[in-house]
Amino acid sequence: MDEIKGTGHRFFGKVSVGFAKVVEYAFQRSGRPNGYILGEEAGGAFIAGLRYGEGVLYTKDAGEHRVFWQGPSLGYDFGAEGSKTMVLVYDLRSPGEIYSTFAGVDGSAYFIGGVGITYLARNDMVLAPIRSGVGLRLGANVGYLKYTRQPTWNPF
């Protein structure tokens, strides 16, 4: 039991250190967000890929709002992963603006676990999903995520 606890502590400790470095990078690059989403997502790809997620948008002035996201991707991308996701939201004027489509480029390298950040944009609003994932996935792709009020299987 001590060996398993020690191994688990080292593994999750490294992930949390990686997460802290990614958040620090995001704040240095883009400043302080005015909202964030906490959620979970799953994705997979074999050249073409799909990603689905759900979470809650937290804002200081406008409260909490349930949000779902889904989207396709295309590129040199293979594998599958499940992720706990924090999305930093920049320049959100009202919560309803989140329910839209955001395009971006993503690169993933998971072998058992990892942490990564992507930037998605629409007009002046920028989303920075930070994923702490588990799975096996490697590649780079171009795609978009569509954020909705209700869950749907249709990524288009």
Side-chain angles (χ1 to χ4, degrees):
M1 186 163 73
D2 289 334
E3 181 181 344
I4 297 297
K5 282 201 253 182
T7 301
H9 178 69
R10 285 190 300 277
F11 175 73
F12 288 108
K14 289 178 183 176
V15 170
S16 62
V17 168
F19 180 79
K21 288 180 181 180
V22 168
V23 169
E24 184 178 300
Y25 170 80
F27 271 68
Q28 287 175 351
R29 180 174 181 215
S30 303
R32 187 176 172 189
N34 60 344
Y36 63 93
I37 298 169
L38 291 180
E40 297 178 342
E41 68 178 27
F46 183 75
I47 301 176
L50 293 172
R51 186 178 302 275
Y52 293 93
E54 65 178 274
V56 176
L57 168 65
Y58 296 92
T59 64
K60 188 173 183 174
D61 300 329
E64 301 174 7
H65 303 271
R66 193 94 176 125
V67 64
F68 300 86
W69 61 92
Q70 55 282 324
S73 62
L74 186 62
Y76 181 75
D77 195 8
F78 303 93
E81 95 279 347
S83 304
K84 292 219 179 264
T85 304
M86 172 185 272
V87 181
L88 304 179
V89 181
Y90 296 93
D91 298 320
L92 178 71
R93 291 185 276 287
S94 72
E97 286 183 323
I98 197 74
Y99 303 113
S100 194
T101 301
F102 296 84
V105 176
D106 186 22
S108 300
Y110 290 114
F111 179 70
I112 308 301
V115 177
I117 186 169
T118 305
Y119 285 91
L120 307 168
R122 179 182 177 90
N123 300 326
D124 293 333
M125 202 159 105
V126 174
L127 305 182
I130 301 170
R131 298 179 179 101
S132 175
V134 175
L136 177 61
R137 189 160 179 178
L138 177 65
N141 60 59
V142 175
Y144 65 83
L145 288 177
K146 179 176 68 172
Y147 287 79
T148 59
R149 287 179 169 85
Q150 301 295 326
T152 179
W153 287 105
N154 182 1
F156 306 102

